[in-house]
Amino acid sequence: MELLKQRIREVGTVLSNEIIKLDAILNHAVDPALTTAMGKEFARLFREENITKVVTIESSGIAIAFAVAQELGVPMVFARRKKSLNADSSETYCERVPSFTKGLVTDIMVSREFLDPQDRILLIDDFIANGDAARGLIRIIRRSGAHLVGVGIAVEKSFQAGGRTIRESGVRVESLARIASMEPGKIQFE
Amino acid sequence: MELLKQRIREVGTVLSNEIIKLDAILNHAVDPALTTAMGKEFARLFREENITKVVTIESSGIAIAFAVAQELGVPMVFARRKKSLNADSSETYCERVPSFTKGLVTDIMVSREFLDPQDRILLIDDFIANGDAARGLIRIIRRSGAHLVGVGIAVEKSFQAGGRTIRESGVRVESLARIASMEPGKIQFE
């Protein structure tokens, strides 16, 4: 998606060969026109899949997932991150995931009432690096019996294994911008 | 806003005289049609105020604030909650706020680059109870030199002091649904 790549070039701050700061458009401030356009693009890519629900993880995925859900006319669910130790309960699915950027472990949680075996789910997230959060959420979706239609990612760091390993597991992954490599002052897209 | 009150009656679970669970529409799952309608209503209420930025706090405020920002055609910024001790830095404003529902203290943070003295800001949040989070964010907005135009709240628990104390401080507060009292099975709106 050319508009997203252009904005990444404009506002992205490369902090290291592995970390890019996109606070101005994804992780702290949000440009509604850009995010709405991303929502329309994901909706276009997955329109024929009869999606019943868009699922993401708080917080930076929410605005994008909401824009997709608006366009598809289906509900959106955001998994909650929990700081404390959590296990499955009669009401929730929990999975423990490490966080690449934060360097710590969090538990993600979805209430059972919001995932149905009849659901056809599109998973949306802002970033994919090692893919731990996405894989945790995929495990939750599968355990609910719902069908995972695919994964939509705004920015994939394709030099890290997340997107590739999820594709290799047979899941369709669509990324709107794929960063092949980066260093301060220089971002190379695929 | 009649539609919101109706949905609260349908899906709200009153856990005590003070706590209502609205996971199905605000805090875990989101209905894009309802949230878009809330966005349009806040935009209508504040349209003449020449708002330049919509500000909220992660996570449950994000979808509503995004819908308002979409309608007004301005950027949205979400304050981040931090678990660790944080103080102001050259790059950020931080405020410590207690959380009514979570029973703990969190720090909220906004990067200085996203608040400008020229900004006219609409603060949006999903809930107001005691108003600690909103007051923390108001302190951050004021310290940045930006002008706070008003506060838009989806659900105000008007039997708690948050909305009232912020109004008494001279800030315009608009709530789309005001709960006067509640007990399991019964919700009374103002």
Side-chain angles (χ1 to χ4, degrees):
Chain A
M1 186 181 172
E2 206 43 55
L3 177 62
L4 178 59
K5 291 182 197 169
Q6 181 191 321
R7 295 302 306 278
I8 292 170
R9 282 192 202 96
E10 287 166 9
V11 304
T13 306
V14 179
L15 299 178
S16 75
N17 290 0
E18 295 199 328
I19 296 181
I20 179 168
K21 195 172 151 206
L22 288 172
D23 278 6
I25 53 172
L26 290 181
N27 308 117
H28 194 6
V30 170
D31 170 348
L34 174 66
T35 303
T36 302
M38 290 195 276
K40 285 184 197 293
E41 179 63 6
F42 284 125
R44 187 187 69 77
L45 289 164
F46 289 97
R47 175 104 41 199
E48 284 157 30
E49 293 285 1
N50 299 314
I51 287 153
T52 62
K53 213 165 269 173
V54 176
V55 175
T56 189
I57 307 180
E58 64 180 352
S59 293
S60 300
I62 292 175
I64 307 169
F66 178 77
V68 181
Q70 252 183 339
E71 193 66 18
L72 293 173
V74 300
M76 184 268 276
V77 174
F78 55 98
R80 312 295 317 237
R81 291 181 196 271
K82 297 286 171 184
K83 292 102 226 174
S84 50
L85 284 177
N86 280 280
D88 280 0
S89 73
S90 60
E91 296 182 349
T92 59
Y93 299 104
C94 290
E95 286 282 339
R96 174 150 300 177
V97 298
S99 166
F100 172 71
T101 34
K102 291 180 191 151
L104 44 79
V105 165
T106 52
D107 291 344
I108 60 173
M109 181 278 287
V110 180
S111 290
R112 289 173 189 257
E113 65 178 308
F114 298 127
L115 293 175
D116 188 277
Q118 306 303 318
D119 274 327
R120 293 178 58 81
I121 290 180
L122 174 58
L123 194 168
I124 294 285
D125 212 355
D126 58 325
F127 253 111
I128 194 162
N130 292 323
D132 294 301
R135 271 193 302 274
L137 193 46
I138 289 171
R139 287 195 297 276
I140 286 177
I141 292 165
R142 294 229 157 107
R143 288 169 53 210
S144 77
H147 178 69
L148 176 69
V149 164
V151 176
I153 301 290
V155 182
E156 176 178 352
K157 293 190 278 184
S158 55
F159 55 88
Q160 289 177 297
R164 179 170 52 75
T165 56
I166 294 173
R167 285 184 189 93
E168 285 173 0
S169 77
V171 174
R172 178 180 172 195
V173 180
E174 300 280 358
S175 303
L176 302 186
R178 300 181 72 197
I179 299 176
S181 67
M182 57 192 189
E183 56 190 88
K186 193 176 169 199
I187 301 166
Q188 191 76 42
F189 292 101
E190 295 268 343
Chain B
M1 187 182 172
E2 208 42 55
L3 177 62
L4 177 59
K5 291 181 196 169
Q6 180 191 321
R7 295 303 304 279
I8 293 170
R9 283 192 201 96
E10 287 166 10
V11 304
T13 305
V14 179
L15 299 177
S16 74
N17 290 0
E18 294 201 327
I19 297 182
I20 180 169
K21 196 173 149 203
L22 287 172
D23 278 7
I25 54 171
L26 289 181
N27 307 117
H28 193 6
V30 170
D31 170 347
L34 173 65
T35 303
T36 302
M38 289 195 277
K40 285 184 197 293
E41 178 63 6
F42 283 126
R44 187 187 68 76
L45 288 165
F46 289 97
R47 175 103 44 200
E48 284 157 29
E49 292 285 1
N50 298 316
I51 287 154
T52 63
K53 211 164 272 172
V54 177
V55 175
T56 189
I57 307 179
E58 63 180 352
S59 292
S60 300
I62 292 176
I64 307 168
F66 178 77
V68 181
Q70 255 183 337
E71 193 67 17
L72 293 173
V74 300
M76 184 268 277
V77 173
F78 55 98
R80 311 295 317 238
R81 290 181 196 272
K82 297 286 170 184
K83 290 105 228 173
S84 49
L85 283 177
N86 279 280
D88 279 2
S89 73
S90 59
E91 296 181 349
T92 60
Y93 300 105
C94 291
E95 286 283 339
R96 173 149 299 176
V97 297
S99 165
F100 172 70
T101 35
K102 291 179 189 148
L104 43 79
V105 164
T106 51
D107 290 345
I108 61 173
M109 181 277 287
V110 180
S111 289
R112 289 172 189 258
E113 65 179 307
F114 298 126
L115 294 176
D116 189 277
Q118 306 304 317
D119 274 328
R120 293 177 58 80
I121 291 181
L122 174 58
L123 194 168
I124 293 286
D125 212 354
D126 58 326
F127 254 109
I128 194 162
N130 291 324
D132 294 302
R135 272 193 300 273
L137 194 45
I138 289 171
R139 287 195 297 275
I140 286 177
I141 292 165
R142 293 227 159 108
R143 288 168 53 208
S144 77
H147 178 68
L148 176 69
V149 164
V151 176
I153 301 289
V155 183
E156 176 178 351
K157 293 190 278 185
S158 54
F159 55 88
Q160 291 178 296
R164 180 171 51 78
T165 56
I166 294 172
R167 285 184 188 95
E168 285 173 359
S169 78
V171 174
R172 178 181 172 193
V173 180
E174 300 280 357
S175 302
L176 302 186
R178 300 181 72 196
I179 298 176
S181 68
M182 58 191 187
E183 55 188 88
K186 193 175 169 198
I187 300 165
Q188 190 76 40
F189 292 102
E190 295 268 343

